[in-house]
Amino acid sequence: MTRTQATGAFAAIGGPIAAIVLLASSPAARADELTDLRASQEHLRANQELLQKRIDQLSQAPPPGAPGVYVPGFGPETRPPSAPVTVGSFPRSFLIPGTETSLRIGGFANGSVLWYLKGAAVGGALNSQGGNVNETFTGGQGGTGNLASIPLNNTVGHSRSSAVALSGKESRLLFDARTPTAWGEAKAYIEIDFSQSNTNTINNNTTVVASGWNTRFRKGYATLGGLLAGQETGILRDPDADAEFVDSGGAASSAGRARQAQVKYTLQGPYGTVWTAGIEQPNPQLNGPFGAASNGTNAIPNIAACSVTGNTVANLPATTACLGNAAFFDPLKSAWPEAIGTARINQPWGHLQVGFVLRSDQLNDGQYLDQKFVGYGGTISGDVHPFSGTPGPLGKDDLGFGTSGGVNIGGQIANGAGLNTNFGRTLNVPGFGFVNPLTNAQWNTTNSATRRAYDRVVHSSSPHTQSGWIWYQHWWTDNLRSTIEASGVYNHLNTNLVGQNTANNKLLTMSHINLFWSPVAFIDFGLEYAWGHRGTVANFKGDAYTLEGQMRVRF
C-alpha cells in the first residue's frame, strides 16, 4: 500500500470514529459547545449591523471632488472626503452621539444701516412730535415696520423726520432636531432673535451707553410626520411668494400671519401637490374711532385703567395704568380658533398656492354689549421661473406674485382691517343726549343706566380688504442679483362708524429696489431703496423714503 493510499484509508476510518466519539461525548460538553457557537453567531450578526450602519452613514457624504446637495440660501453643501460618520440626516446637521437624532444649530448675524431720508416715526417727546428713530422700526419701513405709522404730511413731526438707525438686533439663532420614528420623522424646532419692540420706559436710553435689546421668541414647534403643533409661519402664508428684501418690514401686505400659534396637518399628494389644513390662535381685531386695536394690547395685570385722558382723579394711586384710547375702548373677545386650508402644486417652473380662511370676532364689554361677526377670505400666490432650464444665472430669474381679499379679515391679510365699530365714540343716546365716554363718569360706572343705553346704540360692520404684490428678481451673475417689488393693501372702512380721522389707514403701499452681492454662498451684502405711502380715512397722506444697507453672515 502506498503512503497516499494509507493516508486516505486512515481518513476514511478516522472520520466515522471521530463522529462516534463526538456523539458519545457528555451532554454537558455538547451544551457548552452549542453556547459558544451561538455566541459567535450573535457577535457576527452585531458586526454585520455595525458595518451596515457605517455604510449607510458614509453613503450620505458625496464622493471626493463631487458637489454636495444644494441648500437654498447657502449654495452647494461642501464636506471633506473624510466626513465623519456623525454627519446628520439633513443638510448642515450632525448626529448626536449615542442617538438617532440629527441636530442643526444655525442662524445668522446681521448688521444694518437704515437712513430715513424722510418719514421716520416720531416718539412721544414734544407732544408726540419729537424723537427719532422709534426703536420699533430700526429694521425698516415695510408692512410690519414703520409703514402704518409714517408721519402725515400735514404734521409737525413730518418736517423733522430724517434719521439714521444702526442695528444688529435682527441677528437670529435656531435649533433644529430631527429623529426618525415608526410614525414618520419627529422634529423639534426653536428660533429666536433680538427684535422685540422696545418702546416702553424700562428700556429708555438703550443707545446712550449700551444697547438693551431683548430676546424675542419667533418660532417653536413640534412635528410628527405631517402633524405640527406650536408657533410657526401662518398657515395661509406663502413664503416662497415673498420677495428678498433688506427691509425686514417686507412688503406692504401679504396673506397670512408672519408667525402664529397653530395646529395643522400637511399631506403630500401626487403630481407635486401639497394639502394643508389647520387652526390658528384667534386674534380679534377692530377699527374704531381711535384707530386699530386687538385684544393683544393689555395693561399691566392687576392695575386698573384710570382714564383715557390721563390720571385726573385725585384719589387714584400713582401706579394706576393710563391706556391710550385705542386700547381703552377695546371690547374684543377671543372666540373660536381661525380655520385655514391651503392647496399647493410644486413644479420645476415654480409653484402655485391657494388658501381660504374662516374666522370670527366678538365685541363684549362685560356689560350690555355683545356682538358676533364672521370673517372670511381667500388668497392665490406663486412664483414662476421665466427662463427655467436656461444655462447660467439667467435660469435663476424669478417672478413672484399674490393677491388676497376678505371680509372682516383682520391680520390674516397683513395690515388688513378688523370689524368697524363706533364703540367709544360720542353717540346720541335716547333719553341721555350725547354721551362722550371720555368725559361721562356714568359711562365708566359698572351697570349704570347710561352704559346700558349707550351699548344699545353701538353699531358695527364687517369691512372689505384687498391686497396684492408683485416682484421680479434678476440674477446678473451667480453672486449678484436685484429685486424690484410693488405691493399695497386697501381697506374699505365705514367712516359713518369710525369717523373721519387720521388714526385709521385705508391705503398702504410699498416699493423696493435692491442689489445683493454674495461673495460666498453664506454671506450677503445688500443695498436697498424703498418708498412707502400711507393714506388715512380722512384723506391725509404721508410718505417715507429710505436707503438701507445690510451685511449678513449665515451659519
Side-chain angles (χ1 to χ4, degrees), residues 252-481:
S253 184
S254 61
R257 296 191 171 100
R259 293 169 297 277
Q260 187 61 279
Q262 60 189 262
V263 177
K264 69 178 181 181
Y265 189 84
T266 301
L267 177 66
Q268 301 284 340
Y271 309 110
T273 57
V274 181
W275 309 84
T276 302
I279 56 175
E280 287 186 359
Q281 169 69 26
N283 187 13
Q285 184 175 323
L286 65 79
N287 286 78
F290 303 101
S294 68
N295 66 346
T297 305
N298 298 315
I300 301 174
N302 302 320
I303 298 182
C306 57
S307 167
V308 293
T309 56
N311 193 352
T312 57
V313 181
N315 61 351
L316 286 178
T319 55
T320 300
C322 295
L323 307 180
N325 293 345
F328 188 87
F329 294 112
D330 175 12
L332 290 167
K333 176 183 176 183
S334 295
W336 293 97
E338 302 181 9
I340 307 168
T342 64
R344 176 184 176 117
I345 182 168
N346 297 309
Q347 294 295 320
W349 49 260
H351 83 284
L352 187 68
Q353 178 171 312
V354 296
F356 183 80
V357 58
L358 183 67
R359 59 187 304 274
S360 65
D361 284 341
Q362 184 175 356
L363 296 181
N364 189 314
D365 66 352
Q367 298 195 52
Y368 309 103
L369 178 67
D370 190 9
Q371 301 176 355
K372 299 179 178 66
F373 301 85
V374 174
Y376 55 90
T379 181
I380 180 170
S381 59
D383 79 309
V384 176
H385 299 281
F387 305 106
S388 179
T390 302
L394 186 62
K396 294 192 280 187
D397 276 24
D398 200 6
L399 171 67
F401 58 89
T403 183
S404 306
V407 174
N408 189 26
I409 196 68
Q412 288 293 352
I413 294 180
N415 288 310
L419 61 90
N420 294 172
T421 182
N422 59 6
F423 181 77
R425 188 177 177 184
T426 299
L427 300 178
N428 187 2
V429 180
F432 295 87
F434 287 93
V435 175
N436 183 354
L438 294 174
T439 58
N440 190 295
Q442 286 300 309
W443 184 93
N444 209 24
T445 299
T446 303
N447 299 326
S448 69
T450 302
R451 185 60 169 269
R452 180 192 297 269
Y454 182 93
D455 282 359
R456 286 175 178 171
V457 296
V458 169
H459 294 287
S460 307
S461 67
S462 297
H464 294 258
T465 297
Q466 286 89 35
S467 72
W469 62 96
I470 188 170
W471 52 268
Y472 188 85
Q473 183 178 67
H474 174 64
W475 288 74
W476 305 99
T477 67
D478 285 330
N479 59 7
L480 197 65
R481 60 197 182 275

Side-chain angles (χ1 to χ4, degrees), residues 16-90:
I17 292 174
I20 293 171
V21 173
L22 180 62
L23 292 172
S25 60
S26 66
R30 291 199 304 272
D32 290 342
E33 188 169 350
L34 181 61
T35 301
D36 291 341
L37 290 172
R38 286 175 175 171
S40 298
Q41 187 179 23
E42 291 296 329
H43 181 69
L44 179 61
R45 183 181 297 112
N47 285 339
Q48 289 174 335
E49 291 177 354
L50 178 61
L51 178 61
Q52 185 61 47
K53 286 183 178 180
R54 291 173 63 86
I55 291 173
D56 292 342
Q57 291 173 340
L58 289 172
S59 66
Q60 298 174 11
V69 178
Y70 184 83
V71 184
F74 294 90
E77 183 183 16
T78 57
R79 287 181 279 187
S82 58
V85 296
T86 53
V87 170
S89 63
F90 62 99

Side-chain angles (χ1 to χ4, degrees), residues 169-172 191-195 214-216 218:
K169 68 178 185 177
E170 292 171 32
S171 299
R172 189 177 303 174
E191 182 178 308
I192 61 173
D193 67 10
F194 307 91
S195 293
N214 295 329
T215 303
R216 181 179 68 163
R218 283 179 55 88

